[in-house]
Amino acid sequence: MTETEIVDRVQCLVRERMAGQQAGHDVDHVLRVLKSAREIQAEVGGNRFVVELAALLHDLGDAKFHDGHERSAEFARDILSQLNVDYDTIEHVARIVDTISFRKAADPATLSLEAKVVQDADRLDALGAIGIVRTIEYGAAIGQPFYLSDNAAGKRKTGIDHFDEKLFKLHDLLNTDAARRIAGQREQFMRTFLDQFRHECGETK
Ligand code: ADP
Ligand code: NI
């Protein structure tokens, strides 16, 4: 099999395995991460095959769906060895998938270029129009309100709080200029959305 055929095959497998997974971490998230990862890789370089495989496999064994156990690296090894991918590529992909999925804030200095690309692509998916929708969906799933008019003391966490607590911090955590540029544009859109939202709620600014 050529590398392109392997990537296509892995994409089909991931699609099957993630079917029915909840919004936010469904196969569309994975396909968007693949798309962004390709764009970033085209600009910063690195091994495209490794980037594509890691992007596709990064959420396959998300701990949220496996009793708290992160199994993406294990699944990546299984799938890639069955497709006769070479050992070094398999281990590199497994290492990337492990670092990204654990969200263990690995020291950027220890990450390979390919890991940095996939990590940036994953973070970009929390921003922009998609990021807004994912925040709303996440809140809906855990019964968290998106906005409370009478929340001056910030007693109850809202979806709106999540923008400052996490989303607007992502830009500075990115590894590549290519991703920072995309993030800047997406962040701008989110600020416009929040301004409009608050305006419609009658908040003066
Ligand atoms: P990851 O994609 O890194 O695994 P999560 O599973 O924590 O991240 O989040 C999935 C999506 O839900 C992201 O878009 C994230 O911004 C959003 N999200 C995470 N935590 C919250 C929260 N407390 N309130 C609203 N949205 C959240
Ligand atoms: Ni992800």
Side-chain angles (χ1 to χ4, degrees):
M1 270 203 273
T2 65
E3 291 187 352
T4 309
E5 284 166 348
I6 293 171
V7 169
D8 285 349
R9 186 78 202 105
V10 171
Q11 184 165 325
C12 286
L13 284 168
V14 168
R15 201 185 274 281
E16 280 167 25
R17 296 261 288 261
M18 293 184 88
Q21 210 139 293
Q22 78 188 40
H25 273 103
D26 54 11
V27 71
D28 283 309
H29 162 69
V30 169
L31 297 178
R32 291 190 302 264
V33 172
L34 175 64
K35 175 178 178 289
S36 299
R38 281 175 167 152
E39 285 169 18
I40 299 168
Q41 188 278 332
E43 204 170 313
V44 306
N47 184 319
R48 189 168 178 89
F49 186 46
V50 168
V51 165
E52 290 176 332
L53 293 176
L56 282 169
L57 293 162
H58 86 277
D59 269 338
L60 194 59
D62 193 305
K64 287 191 272 308
F65 308 107
H66 294 93
D67 300 325
H69 300 290
E70 176 52 53
R71 300 183 64 187
S72 295
E74 175 195 334
F75 293 159
R77 284 194 181 92
D78 288 351
I79 289 172
L80 298 180
S81 52
Q82 279 177 33
L83 295 171
N84 295 317
V85 173
D86 69 277
Y87 178 81
D88 287 349
T89 300
I90 294 179
E91 286 311 304
H92 192 179
V93 170
R95 210 164 49 242
I96 294 174
V97 150
D98 216 19
T99 324
I100 305 298
S101 294
F102 265 131
R103 279 181 283 154
K104 50 188 169 191
D107 178 355
T110 67
L111 298 180
S112 67
L113 177 58
E114 291 80 4
K116 289 178 180 173
V117 169
V118 179
Q119 187 177 56
D120 277 5
D122 195 26
R123 286 170 169 166
L124 283 178
D125 208 49
L127 299 177
I130 298 285
I132 295 170
V133 170
R134 290 180 82 205
T135 300
I136 295 169
E137 286 177 344
Y138 182 101
I142 64 165
Q144 166 187 273
F146 184 70
Y147 171 80
L148 292 171
S149 61
D150 186 20
N151 202 27
K155 282 194 289 287
R156 216 174 145 197
K157 282 253 181 290
T158 64
I160 293 257
D161 292 333
H162 187 63
F163 286 74
D164 282 330
E165 282 172 6
K166 174 175 168 188
L167 305 180
F168 290 139
K169 291 180 180 163
L170 289 177
H171 183 277
D172 288 345
L173 295 173
L174 293 169
N175 303 301
T176 65
D177 284 342
R180 267 188 289 274
R181 234 181 18 250
I182 301 170
Q185 191 271 337
R186 293 188 183 190
E187 218 182 277
Q188 198 50 50
F189 178 80
M190 294 164 93
R191 293 193 190 279
T192 303
F193 169 82
L194 285 179
D195 285 348
Q196 174 76 15
F197 188 93
R198 292 198 171 104
H199 177 71
E200 290 179 20
C201 289
E203 282 189 25
T204 45
K205 241 193 111 201

